[in-house]
Amino acid sequence: MSTLKVNTIQNTSGGSSSTPEQIEQGRAKAWVNMNAVSGTFILDSFGVSSVDDNGTGSYVVNFSTSFGNASYCMAVGSTNDNHSRGGFVMQTSRSVNSCTLFGTNYGSNSAGDVRCHMTFFGD
């Protein structure tokens, strides 16, 4: 078996480069697994520098590297702490540097007990 060791992989025109780490991480630009049950904290992440708590149910995901534009795609999954009711997260605003989210559940307008995982794809 042969092993190819490189620092960067590029297309034939010299653009669209990826590092082995980016490929290993699934090539999403950023993702985060977050627990906001007892304070906001990141369980694991890639391309996310921090998550800010803006008050009950409102969170800002800050990216380590800016997106090329604010038209990136976001996929989200969430639940509440005790799993007795479904939780979900809505995007309220976005920029190239961050995405503001609002966590809620089916029993109230906002929820501070949200556990969520988000993946961001884009330039």
Side-chain angles (χ1 to χ4, degrees):
M1 179 194 315
S2 298
T3 302
L4 177 64
K5 295 183 179 183
V6 297
N7 291 324
T8 304
I9 298 170
Q10 294 181 325
N11 64 15
T12 56
S13 65
S16 300
S17 61
S18 294
T19 66
E21 179 186 46
Q22 290 170 328
I23 294 168
E24 180 183 20
Q25 294 286 342
R27 202 48 186 116
K29 178 105 174 193
W31 58 264
V32 63
N33 184 356
M34 180 187 101
N35 176 357
V37 175
S38 36
T40 302
F41 63 95
I42 297 172
L43 300 173
D44 200 2
S45 68
F46 175 75
V48 171
S49 58
S50 63
V51 176
D52 301 330
D53 187 345
N54 283 351
T56 304
S58 180
Y59 308 97
V60 179
V61 177
N62 298 295
F63 305 123
S64 301
T65 303
S66 298
F67 279 85
N69 58 58
S71 296
Y72 48 84
C73 177
M74 176 181 73
V76 177
S78 66
T79 186
N80 71 318
D81 186 36
N82 62 20
H83 307 285
S84 65
R85 57 193 183 275
F88 63 96
V89 174
M90 301 175 289
Q91 172 209 311
T92 58
S93 67
R94 68 170 74 189
S95 74
V96 296
N97 301 312
S98 65
C99 184
T100 303
L101 307 162
F102 184 74
T104 187
N105 61 53
Y106 296 118
S108 68
N109 291 331
S110 65
D113 61 349
V114 173
R115 295 176 190 259
C116 60
H117 40 277
M118 298 161 274
T119 306
F120 302 89
F121 298 92
D123 297 336

